[in-house]
Amino acid sequence: MFIINCPFCGKREQSEFKAGGEAHIVRPKQPTELSDDQWAEYLFMRKNIKGIQFERWNHAHGCRKWFNMVRDTSNDEIKAVYKMGEKPPTK
Amino acid sequence: MTKNLRVKSGKVIDETYRISFKFNGNTYYGFKGDTLSSALLANDVHLVGRSFKYHRPRGIMTAGSEEPNAIVQLHDKSSRTEPNVRATEVEIYEGLEASSQNCWPSVKFDIGGINNFLSPLIPAGFYYKTFMWPASFWEKYEYFIRKSAGLGKSPTEPDPDVYEHKYIHCDVLVIGSGISGIMAAKIAAKNGFKTLLVDEKPNLGGSTIYQNSDYFKINNQNSNSWLEKEINEIKKLENLEIKTRTSVAAYHGYNFLLARENLTDHLPIEQRKGKTRHRLLKIRANKVISATGSIERPMIFDNNDRPGILLSSAVKRYADLFGVACGEKCILFTNNDSAYETAISLIQKGINIEAIVDNREKVDSKLLYEVEKSNIKIFKGYTVTDTFGYKRINKISIKQLSKDGQKVVGSKISLTCDCLGVSGGWTPAVHLFTQSGGKLKFREDDQVFIPNTYPSDQISIGSCNGDFTLDEILINTPKSLKEFLNIKSTNYENLEVVSSINKSKRNIWLLPSDKVLGKTKSFVDYQNDATAKDIKLALREGFRSIEHVKRYTTTGMGTDQGKLGNMHALGIISETAGAKMGELGTTTFRPPYTPLTFGTIVGRNVGEYFDVIRKTPIHNWHEKNKAEFENVGQWKRAWYYPTENESMHQAVQRESKAARESAGILDASTLGKIDIQGTDASEFLNRVYTNAWSKLAVGKCRYGLMLNEDGMVYDDGVTTRLGENHYIMTTTTGGAANVMGKLEDYLQTEWPELDVYLTSVTDHFATVSVCGPNSKKILKKVIPDLDFSDENFPHMSFKNAKIGKINCRIMRISFTGEHSYEINIQANYGKSAWEKCMEAGKDYNITPYGTETMHLLRAEKGFIIVGQDTDATMTPIDLQMDWIVSKKKYDFIGKRSLYRSDTIKEDRKQLVGLLTEDPNEVLEEGAQIVADVNKSPIEMLGHITSSYYSPNLKKSIALGVVRGGKNMMGQKLIIPMEKKNINVTVADPVFLDKENKRLNA
């Protein structure tokens, strides 16, 4: 079980959090102008990487804030956490 | 006839305290401090069980948690019964009752033993291969296979014991209290680390605590006395907590570990009352030191499983710790020096050793020379080729090994014995280390896997790290701890160590025999009866991956998880397949290290504490009035209110008639309520619901449908505009938390620019719903000041009002199709509001109704229940609810998905009404809907989602989803049931009052 450093509350047990899938997938501003394929790309296609992955997490049993996390899925090492709207770390 | 094989007082035995216990119905005696296995061995009982597949007699093999054979049932047929308990771990107490498993009628005469003689017919994969054909017979085979399989019996009564969970946070966790663990705990605690030391055994000290000979010395004292002093010292340390009888079960990432602390299993049953039995410790440690030790390897030779064959280290442990001789004529069989340590202990205790068989040809060992002094015959360069004796070993055959160790040569020698101690070297106990994600490396010298890379802040020390000898441990442990704990010095730097062990080992994974392999039974996994032959068969049949060989042969898949034999399985695979051990890898070690009881896992979360139970503020009233309850999520909802002798059907018919004819009252407090405020609240609702919200006037209510981004119906409910920038949204009972989460998600991540605030207020309000033609009259009596005229208070509007002095919100909305009001009032006044309505409705036969009647009433009107009539594959179009999807709005959640190529298909499942040919025939919810029963296979068109007998319409009604159902109006379909086919006609899903006249009645 991870210890997650919530950007609002600090370090907490993983059981307080909910995972929310891949991060940085922006909802299209004009969905009606997209083809079926383009919409499907947004709706369904998600990466499942062995290695560095950008993820959304929610402190569901805490402050209820959503934030982003960079996690190495091969060993569950959390490389960074950052608030929604902030740029992902480059290194 | 039992013998007394207690030779000398053992280290942990209190001979002044005699304990009686029962094994297979016979009474035996042991002493305080004995384990079940030591006490049985002291009574010369070796045969304790039958093996899993061949039902071969099996005896005690080890003295620890790695035991594969001596697994017993405790207190059979009582509520405390427990199967698969290792006799080596049970501390005896007055009144203990244990019995053998997997045998019938008794362990001494077991019918299943015939499998042993049929064994050529049941090789690995036998069940897979044999019972495949004909496929339809599997159900018949399964009955018999299941009956004869399985170890032990599960309890049938509720567990009377109490269990609990506890969190522990520490700087340093030390697992294992052998010599290296004791040193580590002392160093850590003395340097200011808050330290926890755990050991699965009742006593500290590991195996060094009984290593009492002149050949192992620390600072001129025998190693056991030195260690004893250390233990006495650490017991005084303030920074150190010590927990014995505590077995670490799992080691997860981020140094999170689970351990089971056993608090009462060693006590007589009458002393356990009021005490917690097991405590599951959830340990979060900054640093973990694994000192889990090592497990002695058996050796793989023909018939290596007979009762009386033990690990050599176990023979020593029983002698030193418990003062028990495992036999009167012992033979030791070894490929390394450890067996000579055992021999020295046995000689000290006066236990007779017939001979020692050593694989090694030339050994220059001080221990061996010492043993030779006692005129014990040592066969160097020999191997055991076979053993004899059905229920107890009585003879072995030995032969000389060829130079390369691949063959046996020379003539056979027979030796009689009643105990064979086997030592195949040591395997580091790396189970927890690998569970944590650690990677192993293979050390060729002595053929062991040892820790290589650590995934978290942890270290392995002592023999689990491959340091098997006293000198290695005492030199390496302080060195690695200094670095690990970042400290300058320890008190262990200048120890004088004498360690006389010779480290040479002649490792042969599968010992040669004078028979062909097919004629031998050389067990690799004792508990699952997997032999070397089975492993070779698997390889011949094309299995290459060790994970596949494991599953095909079931090697390492017993309750002991192959702690003894897994290494040999790998060795045999590697030799046969010509692959290097290091490259082959190991199978995955999974938690728990030793089995946990279900009680330990669930802790206090049993009975009424299994899950949160939510009750409405009116719950007590329902209880008092004999309501039956149903679970809706965590909520207890009144289901129906039977009067005396009334069946559920009768109650529901009565309740629903009353609601339509006069007045009904429902507790709707469980509906989710979300308070929405902010200048962008209207815009927010526009985006999350399918219909338009900007034009909803203050004081009005509107029904809304919420979709997922994939266009499928997610939730529904009525939302009321309380003020310019203030709404209250209701959600389904079960969907409340998810809807709240989803709305928060969109607000925080997609639309942070919107000025909207969400507050869950589900528990803040009680909701009383009064419906029926007389509902208005009743409400008027409850709230005389309010103008209830249709002009002032029309359908789909809301009013602030007061019941007495208490503010409340009245919504005129309807889920039944009747004229109806919902009173929302501060939760603690809910019951009072309910009772006021009951009182006011007396003259109108106001009838409380539960969820079942609510479902029936709404089904008559064709109103959907999300989650019952929908299942995450239904769009609003599929539900024939096109009217609620705004064509004008540019966007809302799920809009784009409503015209994906898949969602616009004509032949999607669509919601329709269904009427049975026979109006009294009520369909079964979930039943299949077809058009043609003669076609094979029958094409499935859909299923029934809701079905009731309507007392108001005097006929059976149903809702269902049918492929292309929208265009099937009036068409005949068939519901094929087990005994008959039921004819139905597709109908409009609105069965009652299509014109909605009743809303204003």
Side-chain angles (χ1 to χ4, degrees), chain A residues 1-3 13 27 30-36 39 42-44 56 64-66 76-78 84, chain B residues 252-254 256 284 709-710 741 744-746 748-750 890-893 896-897 899-901:
Chain A
M1 248 201 326
F2 321 156
I3 299 269
E13 289 267 342
R27 187 174 189 272
Q30 292 156 331
T32 44
E33 280 156 39
L34 300 182
S35 69
D36 267 12
W39 180 246
Y42 159 72
L43 195 57
F44 302 121
R56 284 154 32 93
R64 291 196 65 84
K65 289 281 191 192
W66 284 90
D76 285 337
E77 197 185 320
I78 298 170
M84 281 293 158
Chain B
H252 298 291
Y254 288 70
F256 180 68
R284 187 74 78 166
E709 203 68 274
D710 60 6
E744 284 179 325
D745 186 353
Y746 274 89
Q748 287 179 32
T749 65
E750 299 294 351
Y890 180 69
D891 191 17
F892 56 82
I893 297 172
R896 175 61 186 84
S897 292
Y899 53 93
R900 289 179 54 239
S901 56

Side-chain angles (χ1 to χ4, degrees), chain B residues 74 80-83 85-86 89 159-166 243-247 259-267 272 274-281 594-604:
Chain B
L74 296 187
R80 281 199 166 81
T81 192
E82 190 177 342
V85 180
R86 292 157 301 285
E89 290 197 299
D159 189 338
D161 282 313
V162 174
Y163 303 80
E164 65 186 27
H165 291 181
K166 185 184 177 186
K243 284 185 181 292
T244 53
R245 299 189 177 101
T246 301
S247 161
R260 192 248 353 249
E261 187 180 11
N262 195 338
L263 297 161
T264 62
D265 280 356
H266 59 291
L267 299 175
R272 298 183 190 179
K275 292 181 182 140
T276 298
R277 182 185 175 206
H278 293 162
R279 192 180 281 148
L280 186 72
L281 306 176
T594 47
L596 294 175
T597 58
F598 283 111
T600 311
I601 294 165
V602 297
R604 291 288 174 100

Side-chain angles (χ1 to χ4, degrees), chain B residues 503-576:
Chain B
K503 290 205 258 181
S504 74
K505 173 164 117 181
R506 188 179 189 188
N507 194 75
I508 302 170
W509 294 116
L510 172 59
L511 289 163
S513 165
D514 45 3
K515 290 189 220 161
V516 294
L517 184 70
K519 297 260 187 245
T520 64
K521 280 209 188 66
S522 313
F523 288 90
V524 176
D525 182 322
Y526 298 85
Q527 194 173 96
N528 271 351
D529 272 350
T531 62
K533 181 170 66 183
D534 293 327
I535 291 171
K536 293 219 172 187
L537 174 73
L539 291 164
R540 259 204 322 278
E541 292 187 356
F543 292 93
R544 281 295 170 269
S545 150
I546 52 165
E547 295 286 358
H548 289 153
V549 174
K550 165 182 162 176
R551 280 156 185 79
Y552 191 59
T553 61
T554 71
T555 303
M557 289 172 72
T559 61
D560 63 332
Q561 293 276 294
K563 290 188 182 75
L564 293 186
N566 269 0
M567 280 301 295
H568 304 83
L570 290 175
I572 292 166
I573 294 169
S574 124
E575 273 171 7
T576 312

Side-chain angles (χ1 to χ4, degrees), chain B residues 674-729:
Chain B
I674 299 171
D675 186 273
I676 303 172
Q677 303 193 39
T679 51
D680 292 317
S682 303
E683 170 61 17
F684 180 63
L685 290 177
N686 263 337
R687 294 187 193 186
V688 299
Y689 277 132
T690 60
N691 44 349
W693 290 78
S694 338
K695 286 183 190 148
L696 184 71
V698 174
K700 297 286 182 196
C701 315
R702 183 165 285 174
Y703 172 77
L705 199 60
M706 200 181 286
L707 309 185
N708 254 333
E709 203 68 274
D710 60 6
M712 304 305 156
V713 172
Y714 184 68
D715 204 80
D716 69 345
V718 170
T719 294
T720 303
R721 191 165 196 177
L722 301 172
E724 181 59 30
N725 297 322
H726 191 187
Y727 290 85
I728 182 132
M729 172 188 279

Side-chain angles (χ1 to χ4, degrees), chain B residues 768 779 781-786 788 800-810 822-826 829-830 832-837:
Chain B
V768 178
L779 266 276
K781 276 171 103 175
V782 177
I783 311 164
D785 305 344
L786 190 63
F788 278 95
N800 282 312
K802 275 183 197 275
I803 297 180
K805 288 180 185 163
I806 311 305
N807 287 327
C808 58
R809 292 171 181 157
I810 319 284
E822 278 185 10
I823 304 167
N824 283 277
I825 191 160
Q826 197 179 314
Y829 294 103
S832 143
W834 175 278
E835 281 165 346
K836 286 203 162 73
C837 292

